[in-house]
Amino acid sequence: MQQGIHPAYGPVVFRDKAAGYAFLTRSTMTSDKTVTWEDGATYPVVDVEISAASHPFHTGTARVLDTAGRVERFERRYARRGTAN
């Protein structure tokens, strides 16, 4: 890597406010806020609105849309009334 052109890469805590879940990883993101982690060290914390802990797809609470009904309703609404010659 070329020196001096890349952002600092270090440990950061990402905290999901919706699920009350946090995880420690490495990132180039920075924050003025800090949190004391389970190991006793202080790390910058980035609050996120959604993560795998709260996303409906990952939690199994995703709703299945009735796509067949929507297609049939679309075809009924916009079906050709006849052919124009």
Side-chain angles (χ1 to χ4, degrees), residues 7-61:
Y9 182 72
V12 177
V13 173
F14 286 93
R15 182 171 51 194
D16 183 350
K17 290 290 211 172
Y21 174 73
F23 58 94
L24 176 65
T25 186
R26 295 177 55 87
S27 176
T28 58
M29 291 195 68
T30 60
S31 176
D32 295 333
K33 295 185 278 182
T34 60
V35 66
T36 303
W37 192 244
E38 300 161 352
D39 61 1
T42 302
Y43 299 106
V45 63
V46 176
D47 292 323
V48 294
E49 294 183 21
I50 196 161
S51 71
S54 62
H55 194 279
F57 179 79
H58 294 288
T59 60
T61 59

Side-chain angles (χ1 to χ4, degrees), residues 49-83:
E49 294 183 21
I50 196 161
S51 71
S54 62
H55 194 279
F57 179 79
H58 294 288
T59 60
T61 59
R63 293 180 296 161
V64 177
L65 297 176
D66 180 22
T67 56
R70 288 182 181 202
V71 170
E72 291 168 1
R73 189 171 47 221
F74 176 84
E75 288 176 348
R76 275 196 316 265
R77 184 179 297 164
Y78 297 107
R80 293 182 181 241
R81 305 278 184 231
T83 58

